[in-house]
């Protein structure tokens, strides 16, 4: 495959989302990703449906949309490494790999002889990344954890949802598994940093990455709002804690997001809305004052926005150079002219569905362009070819392993 990581081999022992999301990005960037799955069922998300892909006559396959969201560009090897011969295969693959990604329970792989200490002895250049719920040490290290509970425990749900005292108040989780996805992105950057450092030292290293650590770390300005003020931020619906007006507003026929980022934009908004007096009001002249007088300003802005349709506001505020946008559902997202121009939706050939839809990686390299060649693979689609290519196993050896249930 093309891409800046061409020649890098990633052994992917992860499943669900955080690890597979990271290794999908690495595959997009040109790495060869060998996804090792149990022969009986494989990655849990293969069964997380409906919806499932449909074949050429409209019948459902057993390929879930969820699984397809995070496994593009990989090769699937069905290996049972609870068996000694399966462990031996994974060790041989690790000896030839640059990166290993896993998300088993803390210490889970060591009992199979596949922990970092064991594999780095075979391959000192191996970059080995473990994703866990809470990290490799500490009082919660042995506990399981999933995205939704991490969004709650890590503070995100305290910031997301309708404010107390308003209709529909209460904490909300984000509509996608952002704790998993952000952990996956941190994993990518950590792996790339370790590979870069390996060029100097010649040595790989171990990376301990947890969902909770990631969730706490990326709360960004909200973390600092608390650490500086000593006051935990509260839910504000779609409103911004530090900028006003910056939130969703109802229009005459729907909603839009108004994102006024500075005082000049606020003055232009007021002029476009036919209320220039708001910009000269001492309570609203600066963002600091607008934050302090949020309760007085927001209802007045809301009344203005309700006077026109969403389309009218989008047109008027574009002329005034005031940032705003529609609140689209996903059908509207993929119909947006800019999204269509950027060709974010794509199709990849698939052996059972004919073709599989997907969404392009947002990164665009000028020289080492991403090439999308492989849809997410069926379970075990590449076991035989990969073991023959990488380990030199012949047909007799492969047939023997398959007959004993070590591979499929």
């Amino acid at each position: 495959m093309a891409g800046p990581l061409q020649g890098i081999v990633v052994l992917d022992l992860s499943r669900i989302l955080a690890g597979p999301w990271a290794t999908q990005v690495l595959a997009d960037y040109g790495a060869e990703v060998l996804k090792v799955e149990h022969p009986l069922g494989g990655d849990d998300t293969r069964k997380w449906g409906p919806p499932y892909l449909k074949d050429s006559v409209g019948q459902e396959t057993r390929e879930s949309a969820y699984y397809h969201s995070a496994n593009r560009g990989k090769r699937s090897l069905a290996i049972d490494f609870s068996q000694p011969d399966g462990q031996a295969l994974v060790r041989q693959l690790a000896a030839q790999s640059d990166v290993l990604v896993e998300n088993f329970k803390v210490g889970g792989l060591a009992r199979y002889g596949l922990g970092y200490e064991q594999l780095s002895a075979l391959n000192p250049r191996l970059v080995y990344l473990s994703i866990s719920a809470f990290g490799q040490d500490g009082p919660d290290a042995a506990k399981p954890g999933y995205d939704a509970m991490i969004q709650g425990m890590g503070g995100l749900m305290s910031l997301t949802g309708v404010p107390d005292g308003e209709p529909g108040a209460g904490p909300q989780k984000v509509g996608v598994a952002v704790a998993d996805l952000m952990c996956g992105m941190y994993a990518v950057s950590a792996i790339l940093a370790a590979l870069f450092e390996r060029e100097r030292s010649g040595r790989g290293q171990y990376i301990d990455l947890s969902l909770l650590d990631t969730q706490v770390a990326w709360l960004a300005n909200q973390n600092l709002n608390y650490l500086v003020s000593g006051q935990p931020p509260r839910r504000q619906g779609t409103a911004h804690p530090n900028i006003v007006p910056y939130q969703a507003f109802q229009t005459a026929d729907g909603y839009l997001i108004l994102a006024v980022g500075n005082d000049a934009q606020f003055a232009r908004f007021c002029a476009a809305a036919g209320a220039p007096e708001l910009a000269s009001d001492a309570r609203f002249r600066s963002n600091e004052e607008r934050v302090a007088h949020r309760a007085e300003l927001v209802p007045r802005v809301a009344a203005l926005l309700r006077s026109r349709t969403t389309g009218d506001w989008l047109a008027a505020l574009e002329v005034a150079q005031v940032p705003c946008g529609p609140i689209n559902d996903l059908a509207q997202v993929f119909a947006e002219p800019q999204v269509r121009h950027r060709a974010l939706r794509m199709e990849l050939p698939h052996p059972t569905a004919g073709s599989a839809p997907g969404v392009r990686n947002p990164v665009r390299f000028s020289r080492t362009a991403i090439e999308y060649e492989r849809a997410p693979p069926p379970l075990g689609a590449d076991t035989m070819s990969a073991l023959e290519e990488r380990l030199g196993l012949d047909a007799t050896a492969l047939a023997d392993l398959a007959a004993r249930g070590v591979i499929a």
Side-chain angles (χ1 to χ4, degrees), residues 55-401:
D55 63 19
S56 59
V57 295
Q59 297 296 312
E60 282 192 346
T61 69
R62 298 312 296 165
E63 299 287 324
S64 75
Y66 199 114
Y67 166 76
H68 270 252
S69 73
N71 289 285
R72 174 180 62 235
K74 306 176 187 180
R75 304 174 77 186
S76 173
L77 285 66
I79 302 175
D80 180 2
F81 56 75
S82 67
Q83 299 189 47
D85 285 346
Q87 296 161 20
L89 292 175
V90 175
R91 278 193 288 271
Q92 292 175 68
L93 292 169
Q96 301 179 11
S97 298
D98 299 284
V99 176
L100 185 149
V101 177
E102 62 93 7
N103 62 347
F104 283 74
K105 290 181 181 179
V106 173
L109 286 181
R111 65 191 180 101
Y112 299 122
L114 303 176
Y116 173 68
E117 297 298 332
Q118 295 144 321
L119 295 184
S120 64
L122 298 174
N123 179 3
R125 290 176 56 82
L126 183 66
V127 173
Y128 189 118
L129 184 139
S130 294
I131 294 174
S132 61
F134 299 106
Q136 300 296 306
D137 52 32
D140 292 336
K143 294 180 181 179
Y146 289 92
D147 175 271
M149 61 177 287
I150 297 298
Q151 287 193 38
M153 186 176 181
L156 180 61
M157 287 175 65
S158 77
L159 306 172
T160 307
V162 176
D164 289 336
E166 298 184 12
Q172 295 285 333
K173 76 177 187 66
V174 180
V176 293
V178 287
D180 277 336
L181 295 172
M182 286 295 291
C183 189
M185 296 310 298
Y186 271 99
V188 171
S189 64
I191 287 166
L192 296 180
L195 290 173
F196 183 79
E197 191 279 337
R198 191 180 71 172
E199 292 299 302
R200 295 195 299 269
S201 68
R203 299 171 58 197
Q205 59 183 298
Y206 182 72
I207 303 170
D208 169 9
L209 183 62
S210 86
L211 296 179
L212 181 63
D213 291 356
T214 301
Q215 177 61 83
V216 174
W218 69 262
L219 291 183
N221 59 299
Q222 293 284 41
N223 278 336
L224 269 294
N225 286 344
Y226 165 66
L227 293 175
V228 169
S229 71
Q231 299 297 316
R234 301 301 181 189
R235 297 186 305 278
Q236 298 190 41
T238 62
H240 195 290
N242 304 106
I243 311 172
V244 176
Y246 196 112
Q247 64 186 79
F249 288 96
Q250 190 170 6
T251 67
D253 64 349
Y255 292 87
L256 63 73
I257 284 282
L258 179 64
V260 172
N262 57 50
D263 298 338
Q265 289 176 1
F266 181 65
R268 294 199 299 273
F269 164 75
C270 294
E277 69 280 2
L278 290 180
S280 58
D281 190 312
R283 296 171 297 171
F284 311 139
R285 275 199 295 254
S286 71
N287 181 68
E288 184 175 0
E289 291 296 334
R290 291 193 295 276
V291 171
H293 296 280
R294 181 194 301 265
E296 297 101 309
L297 176 60
V298 168
R300 298 179 68 172
V301 173
L304 291 170
L305 269 292
R306 285 195 297 269
S307 67
R308 305 185 204 173
T309 66
T310 298
D312 288 343
W313 280 116
L314 293 176
L317 295 181
E318 180 178 1
V319 172
Q321 296 185 312
V322 175
C324 67
I327 298 177
N328 287 335
D329 63 24
L330 288 182
Q332 293 167 319
V333 168
F334 286 102
E336 279 280 355
Q338 184 66 18
V339 172
R340 293 169 66 88
H341 173 80
R342 300 287 283 181
L344 289 175
R345 175 177 177 157
M346 64 177 179
E347 297 281 337
L348 289 171
H350 189 272
T352 58
S355 67
V359 180
R360 292 178 181 274
N361 190 302
V363 175
R364 298 185 181 225
F365 296 101
S366 66
R367 290 189 299 103
T368 54
I370 294 173
E371 293 184 0
Y372 301 96
E373 297 179 343
R374 295 192 183 105
L379 177 60
D382 307 287
T383 307
M384 304 304 180
S385 60
L387 293 180
E388 179 183 9
E389 293 167 15
R390 302 207 67 82
L391 304 185
L393 299 182
D394 61 20
T396 301
L398 292 170
D400 175 65
L401 290 167

